[in-house]
């Protein structure tokens, strides 16, 4: 379960949403507000979001959370991260925080970010060589976190 901690809120998202003429239901606004509150670089599952919203005054069903996450992703407000073992995580989309990679524990889903100029360079080089236009270069690494690794060994 992710805990909420103070972080710089980004205020540009909802205004860009208004510019595109999109309107969000109160539930979707709450989901988006939650991600803005916890800040960039945090990866939440639908269950995490549902659990965090359960403390609010108004109940939101898990199905509504799923729908909201999908919609916010399709609007480009959230970035969806598909985990190798079938799970999904969502994080705040941000221009200031692009092209980062993920170490994903296949056992517990713990997700850590890293940056790598080498990965970017390899993606760019491959794209250029084959005449592709690079849009996004993201590497998701299947792995076992120290905790799960220890459990497996012992
Ligand atoms: Zn990330
Ligand atoms: Zn793990």
């Amino acid at each position: 379960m992710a805990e909420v901690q103070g972080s710089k809120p980004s205020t540009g998202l909802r205004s860009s949403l208004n510019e595109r003429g999109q309107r969000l239901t109160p539930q979707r606004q709450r989901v988006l507000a939650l991600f803005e509150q916890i800040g960039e670089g945090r990866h939440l599952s639908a269950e995490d979001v549902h659990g965090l919203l359960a403390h609010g005054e108004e109940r939101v069903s898990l199905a509504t959370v799923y729908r909201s996450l999908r919609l916010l992703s399709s609007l480009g407000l959230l970035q969806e991260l598909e985990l190798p073992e079938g799970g999904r995580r969502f994080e705040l989309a941000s221009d200031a925080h692009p092209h980062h990679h993920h170490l994903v524990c296949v056992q517990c889903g713990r997700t850590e970010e890293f940056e790598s100029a080498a990965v970017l360079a390899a993606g760019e080089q491959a794209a250029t060589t084959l005449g592709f236009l690079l849009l996004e270069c993201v590497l998701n690494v299947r792995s076992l976190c120290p905790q799960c690794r220890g459990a497996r060994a012992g």
Side-chain angles (χ1 to χ4, degrees):
M1 175 70 66
E3 86 259 34
V4 175
Q5 22 177 258
S7 183
K8 54 192 160 116
S10 46
T11 48
L13 291 175
R14 261 176 287 192
S15 50
S16 73
L17 199 66
N18 291 336
E19 280 162 27
R20 277 181 270 170
Q22 301 281 357
R23 294 191 60 189
L24 291 181
T25 63
Q27 287 99 332
R28 286 163 186 167
Q29 280 175 12
R30 282 184 64 199
V31 171
L32 182 59
L34 176 70
F35 278 93
E36 290 178 340
Q37 197 187 340
I38 63 167
E40 294 169 7
R42 302 291 299 275
H43 308 80
L44 301 183
S45 66
E47 288 76 12
D48 290 335
V49 173
H50 185 240
L52 288 167
L53 289 181
H55 303 299
E57 2 23 282
E58 206 184 321
R59 287 213 180 165
V60 181
S61 73
L62 187 57
T64 301
V65 169
Y66 272 117
R67 276 199 300 275
S68 301
L69 289 169
R70 263 199 297 270
L71 180 95
L72 292 168
S73 298
S74 74
L75 292 173
L77 296 170
L78 295 181
Q79 195 179 326
E80 191 173 333
L81 166 64
E82 226 176 315
L83 300 188
E85 265 42 32
R88 276 163 210 277
R89 297 281 168 126
F90 297 85
E91 68 180 301
L92 203 56
S94 160
D95 292 339
H97 187 227
H99 293 312
H100 65 272
H101 313 292
H102 300 103
L103 269 180
V104 183
C105 177
V106 299
Q107 200 106 342
C108 69
R110 177 178 161 190
T111 302
E112 298 291 336
E113 298 188 337
F114 66 97
E115 288 180 25
S116 167
V119 170
L120 269 184
E124 266 163 11
Q125 196 191 356
T128 305
T129 303
L130 297 170
F132 281 53
L133 174 66
L134 183 74
L135 297 176
E136 185 185 62
C137 182
V138 174
L139 181 67
N140 293 327
V141 182
R142 301 177 73 238
S143 44
L144 284 171
C145 74
Q147 229 170 350
C148 296
R149 194 181 165 183
R152 186 171 279 200

